[in-house]
């Protein structure tokens, strides 16, 4: 059960902090297929992290 809690916590924190990675991508411009695929991959990873981390108990006030 400890592994499940760790995965949920990692998903929560990745989902929380991943938008910081969007800034350099957007500042450099999304003008090529490689940049577009990077944005799509970041969005997919972000969505997956939010799904995995939505039950993280550390995100709720007690």
């Amino acid at each position: 059960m400890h592994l499940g809690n760790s995965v949920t916590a990692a998903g929560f924190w990745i989902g929380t902090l991943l938008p910081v990675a969007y800034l350099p991508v957007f500042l450099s411009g999304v003008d090529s297929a490689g940049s577009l695929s990077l944005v799509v991959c970041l969005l997919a990873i972000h969505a997956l992290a939010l799904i995995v981390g939505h039950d993280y108990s550390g995100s709720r006030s007690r």
Side-chain angles (χ1 to χ4, degrees), residues 9-27:
F12 171 80
W13 285 109
I14 290 170
T16 301
L17 299 174
L18 191 62
V20 174
Y22 296 161
L23 186 60
V25 174
F26 287 130
L27 287 177

Side-chain angles (χ1 to χ4, degrees), residues 17-42:
L17 299 174
L18 191 62
V20 174
Y22 296 161
L23 186 60
V25 174
F26 287 130
L27 287 177
S28 68
V30 184
D31 55 355
S32 67
S35 296
L36 182 61
S37 65
L38 178 62
V39 170
V40 170
C41 287
L42 282 173

